[in-house]
Amino acid sequence: MANSITIKTLQELDSLRRAGKTLSAVVKDIKRSLKIGMTTRMVDELADRLMREKGAVPAFKGYRGFPGSACVSVNNEVVHGIPGDRIIKEGDIVSVDVGIVLDGFYSDTAFSVGMGKVDAKLKKLLEVTEEALRLGIAQARVDNHLSDISHAVQKFVEGQHFSVVRDFVGHGIGRKLHEDPEIPNFGPPHQGPVLKEGMVLAIEPMVNLGTWQTKVLEDGWTVVTADGKHSAHFEHTVAVTEKGPEILTQ
Ligand code: MG
C-alpha cells in the first residue's frame, strides 16, 4: 500500500489548489444558506447548484450509486446520509460532506454545525471534532509517519471523553476521489508510510458522543452510531509541503 501513495507534481498541486478553492467557496455558500426548516434534499440541491455554477462536477453523485451531490447526516447519523425529506430542526447537528471534481482533480471537505440553540454537550462535540481535525492536520508534515495524524486525533478526542469512529477513515485524494493511503483516526504513533512532499490527504475525523461503534442502515449508505447518540464530522483536503501542511479546502 505504502508505495502506491501518489506524489503530486507542482502542476497537479496547482490543479488541486484550484479544486480546493472552488469547493471551499461552495461550502461558504452552503453554510450561509443552511437554515432550520430546510429538508436535507434542499441542502443537496443547493450544493449541487453551487458546484455546477462554479464549473465543477459533484464527485459523490452516482459514486457507487450514491444519489446525492452532498452527504447530509443529522444527529446520530455519522456520515453518508442520503438527502431526502427529513426536515432540519432547532438543536440538530447537521454534517455536510461535499466533493467535487474540477478539470480532473478531486477535492473533499466536510463540516458539522449546530442549528439554532444546541445542547452544551453537542457544542462541545462540535468543538472537539473540529479541533481534532486541526491537530491531525498539524501532523501532516514531511518525515512524519501517517499514523502520527491518526494518533493525534485519537489522543485528543479520547482525552475529551468522546470516541473516534473506526469503521470509516480518511484517504488520499487527487486524480481519484479515494486514493491510497487509508487514514484512520486512531492508532499508535510513528507507524505506516513516511509522509512526503506532494502527498495530498483527505483527513476526516468522525467523533461520537458515546460508543465508537457504528452500523449502516438498510438504505445501504447511512452510517449511524450504534448507541443512537450524536456524531460530528469535519474534513479537509490537505497537501503535505516542505513549508508544512497546506489546507486546500479553506
Ligand atoms: Mg472524504
Side-chain angles (χ1 to χ4, degrees), residues 30-228:
I30 294 173
K31 281 181 178 167
R32 205 165 24 213
S33 303
L34 195 57
K35 299 269 183 328
I36 292 164
M38 287 173 85
T39 63
T40 56
R41 183 180 289 109
M42 287 163 76
V43 179
D44 177 60
E45 285 168 353
L46 172 69
D48 186 275
R49 180 169 57 77
L50 291 167
M51 290 172 193
R52 294 183 200 276
E53 273 173 9
K54 291 172 170 58
V57 174
F60 299 168
K61 190 139 196 138
Y63 182 84
R64 296 186 184 165
F66 189 77
S69 295
C71 300
V72 188
S73 310
V74 182
N75 294 341
N76 64 313
E77 296 171 352
V78 180
V79 287
H80 303 166
I82 297 178
D85 296 329
R86 182 172 187 160
I87 295 168
I88 294 168
K89 296 193 181 71
E90 172 107 36
D92 280 349
I93 285 187
V94 179
S95 301
V96 179
D97 192 348
V98 282
I100 57 165
V101 54
L102 183 73
D103 302 327
F105 290 87
Y106 284 83
S107 200
D108 192 359
T109 190
F111 67 93
S112 296
V113 65
M115 304 304 297
K117 260 183 81 109
V118 171
D119 190 90
K121 209 158 51 171
L122 299 182
K123 266 191 199 158
K124 177 87 175 169
L125 175 68
L126 292 170
E127 283 166 16
V128 165
T129 311
E130 191 165 21
E131 177 66 3
L133 173 59
R134 197 187 66 77
L135 293 169
I137 290 171
Q139 295 300 317
R141 299 187 165 275
V142 172
D143 293 337
N144 265 5
H145 287 262
L146 184 69
S147 85
D148 292 328
I149 298 171
S150 317
H151 185 70
V153 170
Q154 182 180 23
K155 192 175 155 203
F156 176 68
V157 168
E158 292 183 353
Q160 300 291 318
H161 309 293
F162 296 124
S163 66
V164 288
V165 169
R166 315 273 174 116
D167 303 328
F168 299 87
V169 298
H171 50 95
I173 184 167
R175 289 181 184 272
K176 289 191 288 181
L177 178 59
H178 293 119
E179 297 185 355
D180 285 337
E182 289 194 344
I183 311 170
N185 294 299
F186 58 94
H190 319 311
Q191 311 274 310
V194 173
L195 301 180
K196 296 198 166 48
E197 180 159 53
M199 289 180 176
V200 178
L201 309 171
I203 302 172
E204 49 177 323
M206 292 147 259
V207 176
N208 293 352
L209 207 56
T211 178
W212 60 263
Q213 274 99 346
T214 63
K215 58 185 183 186
V216 180
L217 295 186
E218 274 174 23
D219 62 23
W221 281 105
T222 313
V223 178
V224 297
T225 56
D227 60 8

Side-chain angles (χ1 to χ4, degrees), residues 220-241:
W221 281 105
T222 313
V223 178
V224 297
T225 56
D227 60 8
K229 293 187 179 175
H230 286 70
S231 186
H233 179 210
F234 284 86
E235 175 180 24
H236 274 306
T237 296
V238 179
V240 179
T241 80

